[in-house]
Amino acid sequence: MYWRTGRAVYLQMFRFWRRIFAVGFTIGVTVFFVEAGFIGVLLYGDGRVRKGTMFLSSVMVSVGTVLSSAWIIAANSWMRTPAGFKVVHGQFEPTDWMRVIFNPSFIWRRPHMLAAPQSP
């Protein structure tokens, strides 16, 4: 929209959300590399690596999955029940990151997602 209209407000919005995207992306990539590295061992290491390595790989894949799903649920929950922000000149501005991440619906969605049965 900034390219189309030249209005500074669109450039400000882009710069604001770009920073939030960068933080989420960086955390997601870090977690993804943990998951991807250990899932390779988990899938192809059976009979090739020590039992302890297989166990560690299982734990690390589980931890990575739990961490990455937490960020996905936090983002989705904030879009449903935003908290910890103020509106300044028509823009959302975070005031309390703990409330942004652990907003009202995150508290219910997170345990549900972790405990939900998987479809066959």
Side-chain angles (χ1 to χ4, degrees):
M1 289 303 295
Y2 173 70
W3 286 348
R4 248 177 134 181
T5 66
R7 292 180 57 200
V9 67
Y10 293 118
L11 183 59
Q12 289 173 322
M13 289 169 50
F14 166 75
R15 288 177 176 160
F16 172 78
W17 287 108
R18 177 181 60 186
R19 282 181 262 159
I20 292 174
F21 173 77
V23 170
F25 184 81
T26 302
I27 291 169
V29 168
T30 302
V31 171
F32 173 75
F33 278 114
V34 169
E35 285 179 282
F38 284 106
I39 203 164
V41 173
L42 190 64
L43 293 173
Y44 301 110
D46 196 17
R48 295 183 176 104
V49 297
R50 296 182 187 141
K51 289 179 183 178
T53 304
M54 286 298 288
F55 177 75
L56 176 66
S57 296
S58 299
V59 169
M60 293 305 290
V61 167
S62 298
V63 167
T65 301
V66 168
L67 289 174
S68 63
S69 68
W71 289 109
I72 292 166
I73 292 169
N76 288 336
S77 296
W78 190 85
M79 288 188 278
R80 296 286 184 180
T81 56
F85 71 94
K86 64 182 177 181
V87 178
V88 178
H89 304 295
Q91 295 182 4
F92 292 103
E93 190 173 293
T95 57
D96 182 353
W97 282 105
M98 292 303 284
R99 289 188 64 217
V100 167
I101 295 167
F102 302 109
N103 61 67
S105 66
F106 178 87
I107 305 303
W108 297 103
R109 290 170 187 243
R110 182 71 179 140
H112 171 73
M113 188 64 181
L114 291 175
Q118 298 297 314
S119 338

